[in-house]
Amino acid sequence: MAEHVGIFGGRIPAEVETLSKDLKDLDKELFRKILKVVVSAVEGKDCGEAMVEIGESGSLSEEKLSRIVSGLFKLLREALRFPGSSVKQEGFKEDLRELRISEEFIADFASVVFGNRRSALDAAVTQRGPRLPSLMEFRWRVDVAISTSSLARALQPSVLMQLKLSDGNIHRFEVPVSKFQELRYNVALILKEMNDLEKRSILKIQG
Amino acid sequence: MAAIVKETQSIKEAVAHINAIDANKFTRLLSRILQKLHLKGERSFSEDEEEKLQTALAMEKQALHLVLETTSFLLEQAVYHNIKPASFKQQLENIQVAPDKAEAFCQAWATAGPDVVEKIRQRIFAPKKLEHVGWQLNLQMGQSSQAKLKAPHAVLDLGVREEDESEHLQNVFVEFSHKELLEFYNKVRLHSFSFPLDCLANAVSHDTYLQTVTHSFLFISFFHSFFLSFAARDDSGSAGLPYLMSLLTFVRANPIISHCYLL
């Protein structure tokens, strides 16, 4: 890369600046534990218990622990912002060296950001971004109306659909056969458009 | 065919009034009523129009109401039984409707009848009905937690109308990533879902519904098991045969199904 901007784009946040001082005399095992907790926090899991455990182990003051955790969290969040393909591992390690973090910690960090858990981390981050409700559960039923009060022999098929969305709403509605065909057609059309878009964007919109 | 209407006192009265109406005016009256027959809860004529009719047909309000209601009732019964025009004419003459009026009924029914039946057939009961399908395809370029994305995602806008609110269309927005949309599409087009639907849609055009309903489900299960037996066969190629034989014996043993298949 011609211009190496660095993961923070020139402005290093305060928590990360002080990180090097706090990490200097930190035990490696303890660092690894804290890093694990921070990773699960980024994934959105509840880490209250783990934090309490580390705090009670006694070797760190509460203040120091909270400074380390916030610095690591910020660092990890920023590192995960860029897709794995556009950040070179060496460049990333250089950035960390500039922050005066020791080598072995850098190695641990790089293994998180470029390791095989990266795609799971990315997926978790995307899920927590702002979204419209997505489909959690989809159930259906096909009915045939044999007769009604207006028609002795109706024989009209229809579809009953139940959608459970991620925001907790359950929508249940009847779909006439013509609308069902329209829905199928539209979904197929969107899929085709998505495929075309993905093929094109590989060629045009580069990193 | 059984009578579609019993000759009660009010029917007799109404028929007397109907027979007195001029033939041309009656034909127009019939076509107007047929147009609005499939709309439930809507009267065929507004207040003003009814008043004009009163003067045009030289009838009192009560008599006019009786005529309109009886004509609607007769047409509704015709729809219910899906009666043939000739049969309809016969039945009307049985309740003393004059021949020219019966002919007018018959003509109107022959021309507009099948449409009305189809419209009423399309009506389904449901608290909520899907009326509108819209969509939007976005390419997500970035997010506060992720820069340089290139994630296409789609938003489906399903317009659902409540049964009693004719104006208000509730929009249900559902977002899908590429993977999620593919899963949804597979669910919606999977054989176990749309195969019976397509099958039934063809089968229900026949009149003997019991035969066709069992026919379609047997059709599905037969083919399903046929393919299953093929998939399960070993190199000898005959492993599927016992399966088919047992299916056939089952079919023969069941009187209803074997009647359908004449096995």
Side-chain angles (χ1 to χ4, degrees):
Chain A
M1 277 198 282
E3 220 182 84
H4 181 61
V5 183
I7 48 174
F8 291 112
R11 259 187 336 206
I12 303 176
E15 306 107 326
V16 180
E17 284 252 4
T18 57
L19 198 58
S20 58
K21 251 193 304 166
D22 291 318
L23 285 180
K24 223 187 301 199
D25 34 0
L26 191 62
D27 171 43
K28 187 164 180 177
E29 272 311 305
L30 194 55
F31 173 77
R32 286 221 169 119
K33 263 200 218 151
I34 300 178
L35 189 60
K36 247 203 225 161
V37 171
V38 170
V39 166
S40 51
V42 167
E43 279 179 345
K45 299 193 195 119
D46 177 33
C47 24
E49 277 181 28
M51 282 298 288
V52 165
E53 203 190 301
I54 296 178
E56 278 176 359
S57 69
S59 44
L60 286 175
S61 70
E62 209 177 288
E63 208 189 293
K64 192 165 176 189
L65 178 64
S66 48
R67 281 207 305 266
I68 294 178
V69 167
S70 63
L72 279 178
F73 189 67
K74 188 83 189 181
L75 188 60
L76 191 60
R77 280 265 299 265
E78 283 302 318
L80 286 177
R81 274 194 52 145
F82 297 94
S85 50
S86 72
V87 178
K88 295 276 189 321
Q89 205 175 88
E90 266 317 301
F92 179 65
K93 285 185 176 169
E94 266 305 309
D95 288 326
L96 288 183
R97 273 181 217 121
E98 278 180 28
L99 291 170
R100 293 187 298 261
I101 298 178
S102 65
E103 272 307 308
E104 40 184 49
F105 293 162
I106 290 182
D108 286 337
F109 226 84
S111 70
V112 167
V113 172
F114 294 97
N116 29 21
R117 260 184 101 178
R118 180 58 193 271
S119 46
L121 278 173
D122 278 342
V125 169
T126 321
Q127 287 281 52
R128 290 168 72 216
R131 309 187 67 176
L132 284 171
S134 56
L135 194 64
M136 292 273 96
E137 196 193 331
F138 172 60
R139 295 164 79 194
W140 55 267
R141 182 175 106 178
V142 173
D143 284 323
V144 177
I146 307 276
S147 75
T148 70
S149 50
S150 342
L151 274 178
R153 279 282 175 274
L155 299 178
Q156 184 70 7
S158 71
V159 176
L160 183 69
M161 284 191 189
Q162 183 169 296
L163 302 169
K164 194 188 279 185
L165 300 182
S166 57
D167 60 354
N169 285 334
I170 299 183
H171 291 105
R172 192 181 313 119
F173 47 82
E174 204 55 64
V175 182
V177 179
S178 52
K179 278 287 171 242
F180 174 66
Q181 308 290 13
E182 202 181 309
L183 184 66
R184 272 204 289 188
Y185 169 74
N186 278 313
V187 173
L189 188 61
I190 305 174
L191 278 171
K192 175 184 166 297
E193 297 271 328
M194 269 189 181
N195 275 328
D196 289 344
L197 194 62
E198 279 174 349
K199 280 199 200 115
R200 264 191 289 156
S201 70
I202 290 172
L203 300 171
K204 283 203 188 142
I205 312 170
Q206 280 297 352
Chain B
M1 169 157 200
I4 60 170
V5 59
K6 255 175 64 166
E7 204 173 345
T8 61
Q9 184 55 39
S10 62
I11 296 275
K12 283 192 188 139
E13 251 185 73
V15 167
H17 286 299
I18 289 175
N19 287 338
I21 302 177
D22 170 52
N24 285 334
K25 292 185 188 155
F26 190 62
T27 319
R28 288 210 296 269
L29 193 75
L30 270 180
S31 54
R32 175 65 183 266
I33 295 179
L34 266 175
Q35 268 174 15
K36 298 258 181 150
L37 200 63
H38 67 281
L39 300 164
K40 44 183 179 173
E42 260 190 54
R43 297 167 61 103
S44 309
F45 297 94
S46 67
E47 290 286 332
D48 300 329
E49 286 169 336
E50 279 189 12
E51 278 184 23
K52 288 191 197 134
L53 272 178
Q54 273 183 265
T55 37
L57 301 172
M59 273 193 215
E60 284 176 14
K61 194 159 172 157
Q62 252 189 336
L64 179 69
H65 271 196
L66 188 60
V67 165
L68 290 178
E69 284 194 15
T70 312
T71 324
S72 305
F73 175 69
L74 287 170
L75 289 169
E76 277 165 13
Q77 286 298 89
V79 166
Y80 183 78
H81 294 277
N82 204 5
I83 201 171
K84 302 265 188 313
S87 191
F88 193 30
K89 187 168 171 195
Q90 184 60 48
Q91 299 250 359
L92 290 170
E93 285 174 354
N94 288 346
I95 54 170
Q96 320 305 328
V97 175
D100 58 338
K101 303 294 182 303
E103 183 60 31
F105 264 105
C106 177
Q107 288 292 347
W109 180 244
T111 35
D115 274 338
V116 177
V117 169
E118 199 48 42
K119 275 193 204 134
I120 290 189
R121 183 175 276 154
Q122 303 282 353
R123 238 169 45 189
I124 48 178
F125 292 168
K128 287 195 204 165
K129 233 188 296 187
L130 180 67
E131 278 220 1
H132 169 69
V133 176
W135 55 271
Q136 182 176 298
L137 177 63
N138 299 325
L139 184 67
Q140 194 178 14
M141 301 300 296
Q143 190 173 288
S144 52
S145 45
Q146 278 182 313
K148 296 188 185 174
L149 279 176
K150 259 180 302 174
H153 71 261
V155 177
L156 264 188
D157 163 23
L158 304 170
V160 174
R161 196 187 291 278
E162 302 264 350
E163 183 71 5
D164 45 359
E165 290 176 78
S166 48
E167 289 307 319
H168 171 67
L169 196 67
Q170 183 197 7
N171 287 320
V172 178
F173 294 110
V174 192
E175 191 179 307
F176 294 93
S177 68
H178 193 160
K179 184 164 145 260
E180 288 166 356
L181 193 64
L182 203 57
E183 280 171 16
F184 182 61
Y185 180 61
N186 283 330
K187 280 196 194 137
V188 153
R189 112 181 207 283
L190 202 54
H191 275 194
S192 59
F193 189 4
S194 52
F195 197 21
L197 198 62
D198 296 329
C199 236
L200 283 171
N202 292 328
V204 297
S205 54
H206 299 102
D207 211 31
T208 46
Y209 71 100
L210 181 62
Q211 175 180 330
T212 52
V213 167
T214 48
H215 175 108
S216 47
F217 280 106
L218 191 68
F219 184 61
I220 294 163
S221 57
F222 187 74
F223 263 84
H224 204 73
S225 54
F226 191 68
F227 287 126
L228 272 181
S229 61
F230 254 93
R233 74 175 177 190
D234 51 33
D235 287 320
S236 68
S238 58
L241 270 180
Y243 196 107
L244 285 181
M245 291 313 294
S246 55
L247 188 66
L248 278 175
T249 34
F250 160 73
V251 163
R252 274 204 205 100
N254 191 320
I256 300 174
I257 302 175
S258 60
H259 166 74
C260 296
Y261 275 84
L262 303 170
L263 288 169

